[in-house]
């Protein structure tokens, strides 16, 4: 596609519910990143994929957070047993990889846990 | 560890006035530096980037930034702001890890434009 696409744009979840956030990167982009942006803060790194391999998950805040990219294209970020502190905007970004650090961001998914 | 500091949380300028947003970074090697802009409810749009070479870089929407290694700074400037420039601005440094560059962001500076 023309840009990085994320769905849904908004998600309201009851505390304890599981959620799944989807990211469609730019076609052909090797690298895919997830960031979490709390209200009034800058984005913070969660995890990184190169093709289907998850090479870095050091930013995932707990084992309730899980990300996958099984075919090296679309990625899903899953949060189990959501808690109020999970409320944030989740941003996906992709880049061509191959040493090119320029990343293109989607519009994000705003998750509100009530 | 890499870090980015944006000292100004909120700046207000009048339309047509000049603008400078400050950014200081901490990184052990030659940094890759970025400025992004975020409008309400939107994702991040890249304004400009510095990888190497000329330390004064030009970006979109009339923005420019200057890399000063001695001051560990990468300040964003615009000679004359427009009402449409009102947004949140983020400075970021690229940190190589596991073969990719994750971005480390500052907390952002919210820009308000007075008519």
């Amino acid at each position: 596609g023309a840009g990085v696409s994320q769905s849904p744009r908004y998600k309201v979840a009851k505390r304890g519910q599981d959620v799944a956030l989807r990211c469609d990167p730019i076609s052909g982009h090797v690298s895919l990143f997830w960031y979490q942006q709390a209200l009034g803060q800058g984005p913070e790194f969660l995890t990184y994929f190169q093709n289907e391999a998850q090479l870095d998950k050091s930013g995932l805040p707990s084992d309730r957070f899980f990300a996958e990219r099984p075919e090296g294209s679309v990625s899903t970020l899953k949060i189990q047993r959501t808690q109020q502190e999970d409320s944030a905007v989740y941003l996906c970004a992709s880049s061509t990889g191959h040493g090119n650090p320029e990343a293109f961001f989607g519009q994000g998914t705003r998750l509100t846990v009530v | 560890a890499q870090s980015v500091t944006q000292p100004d949380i909120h700046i207000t300028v009048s339309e047509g006035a000049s603008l400078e947003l400050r950014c200081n970074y901490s990184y052990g090697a030659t940094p890759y530096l970025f400025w992004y802009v975020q409008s309400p409810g939107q994702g991040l749009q890249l304004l400009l980037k510095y990888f190497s070479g000329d330390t004064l870089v030009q970006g979109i929407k009339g923005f420019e930034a200057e890399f000063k290694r001695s001051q560990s700074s990468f300040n964003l400037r615009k000679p004359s702001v427009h009402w449409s420039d009102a947004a949140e601005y983020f400075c970021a440094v690229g940190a190589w890890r596991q073969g990719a560059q994750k971005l480390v962001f500052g907390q952002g500076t919210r820009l308000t434009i007075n008519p």
Side-chain angles (χ1 to χ4, degrees):
Chain A
V4 178
S5 178
Q6 292 187 246
S7 60
R9 287 293 312 279
Y10 304 92
K11 176 70 179 177
V12 178
K14 291 184 178 179
R15 190 167 47 184
Q17 188 178 1
D18 297 349
V19 298
L21 313 179
R22 177 188 170 102
C23 172
D24 277 278
I26 294 173
S27 178
H29 277 195
V30 168
S31 300
L32 185 145
F33 305 82
W34 284 99
Y35 290 83
Q36 180 190 58
Q37 185 177 20
L39 188 64
Q41 302 294 316
E44 294 194 355
F45 172 82
L46 293 177
T47 187
Y48 155 66
F49 289 86
Q50 183 172 308
N51 295 307
E52 69 278 3
Q54 188 176 21
L55 298 187
D56 188 349
K57 53 182 180 179
S58 62
L60 296 177
S62 78
D63 58 7
R64 296 185 297 103
F65 285 71
F66 172 76
E68 60 183 7
R69 192 186 186 197
E71 297 179 357
S73 178
V74 171
S75 177
T76 304
L77 176 66
K78 298 179 179 178
I79 309 173
Q80 297 176 326
R81 305 181 303 282
T82 53
Q83 301 177 6
Q84 281 194 316
E85 59 261 33
D86 300 334
S87 295
V89 174
Y90 291 86
L91 295 166
C92 177
S94 69
S95 72
T96 60
H98 313 300
N100 181 355
E102 183 173 344
F104 297 85
F105 283 80
Q107 291 188 305
T109 295
R110 179 177 296 279
L111 172 65
T112 304
V113 181
V114 298
Chain B
Q2 302 82 17
S3 66
V4 175
T5 301
Q6 294 181 246
D8 305 305
I9 295 174
H10 185 202
I11 284 182
T12 300
V13 299
S14 298
E15 191 169 14
S18 63
L19 171 70
E20 181 169 31
L21 302 183
R22 296 183 290 164
C23 171
N24 292 96
Y25 67 90
S26 172
Y27 189 64
T30 300
Y32 287 6
L33 294 162
F34 306 82
W35 274 99
Y36 284 88
V37 61
Q38 186 177 39
S39 298
Q42 301 298 312
L44 297 170
Q45 181 182 21
L46 180 67
L47 284 176
L48 47 76
K49 58 186 182 284
Y50 171 77
F51 293 167
S52 65
D54 192 348
T55 57
L56 183 64
V57 293
Q58 303 296 321
I60 62 171
K61 305 185 180 185
F63 286 93
E64 67 177 25
E66 186 171 12
F67 169 58
K68 293 185 177 180
R69 184 187 301 275
S70 62
Q71 298 177 19
S72 297
S73 70
F74 189 57
N75 294 349
L76 182 71
R77 300 194 293 251
K78 187 170 184 178
S80 176
V81 298
H82 187 262
W83 64 267
S84 60
D85 293 325
E88 189 91 20
Y89 290 80
F90 293 95
C91 181
V93 63
W96 282 106
R97 186 180 171 91
Q98 301 280 18
Q101 284 237 354
K102 72 173 186 179
L103 295 174
V104 177
F105 288 87
Q107 284 201 310
T109 297
R110 182 159 60 94
L111 176 63
T112 299
I113 307 296
N114 281 338

